Amino acid sequence: DQQVKQNSPSLSVQEGRISILNCDYTNSMFDYFLWYKKYPAEGPTFLISISSIKDKNEDGRFTVFLNKSAKHLSLHIVPSQPGDSAVYFCAATISQGGGADGLTFGKGTHLIIQP
Amino acid sequence: ETGVTQTPRHLVMGMTNKKSLKCEQHLGHNAMYWYKQSAKKPLELMFVYSLEERVENNSVPSRFSPECPNSSHLFLHLHTLQPEDSALYLCASSHVNSGIYTFGSGTRLTVV
């Protein structure tokens, strides 16, 4: 039973446009959400996070939105650049990551930025 | 350099072999993790070590055996694996109260 779901395996966006990656979760105990980015032959790297007490967090071109009632979060990248082409993983945890449960990941969305 | 180093990068082993994966971090983190990434599946948490104590087993088969001799090193000992254990094994570390992990590049394991 997947607790974190990324229903789009891939997404193609034109350079300069907005990329929107979506993530849904089922466990209402999750209180901290993160996005990781992964290039081929490398491990995932942390991108941006949001606590459940907020509904938006922005860092440069990246903004994460959280809708707790819908158990949904999204990552917006604007403007999209060729270097953003990667696999993006949504992750969630309990107790701000301080618990023993580790991070629960989605399957990932492969973002392709077209020139 | 990611700060978390995993060796080897690639490993091919027979089902009767015994091998070990190694992970090392010098970031001052005090929690370390093993994750498994199989094709078309989410990253699966295998083991958690917090302050050098194992806190999560997650129903992993006993043919996988972790070891954390100190806060900088983590091992995954493998024995009598099955072909379905072929996957990318990722090590990560963090501060114990942080959800922000630093991952290694992984070991691509193939069991033949």
Side-chain angles (χ1 to χ4, degrees), chain A residues 4-87:
Chain A
V4 177
K5 300 178 185 178
Q6 294 177 258
N7 293 319
S8 299
S10 66
L11 175 67
S12 184
V13 175
Q14 199 168 10
E15 181 180 357
R17 299 289 184 104
I18 184 171
S19 295
I20 300 175
L21 295 95
N22 293 303
C23 178
D24 298 292
Y25 62 96
T26 58
N27 189 342
S28 56
M29 297 294 291
F30 287 143
D31 60 6
Y32 191 60
F33 304 89
L34 309 95
W35 286 93
Y36 281 78
K37 174 180 179 180
K38 185 181 185 299
Y39 292 119
E42 295 181 13
T45 57
F46 169 72
L47 189 58
I48 192 169
S49 64
I50 188 167
S51 167
S52 59
I53 61 173
K54 294 186 175 182
D55 55 18
K56 176 183 174 181
N57 188 28
E58 190 173 351
D59 183 3
R61 296 185 298 114
F62 303 91
T63 303
V64 56
F65 295 92
L66 175 63
N67 182 335
K68 281 187 294 183
S69 61
K71 293 191 177 66
H72 177 83
L73 64 155
S74 61
L75 174 68
H76 293 211
I77 306 172
V78 55
S80 300
Q81 299 175 353
D84 296 329
S85 295
V87 176

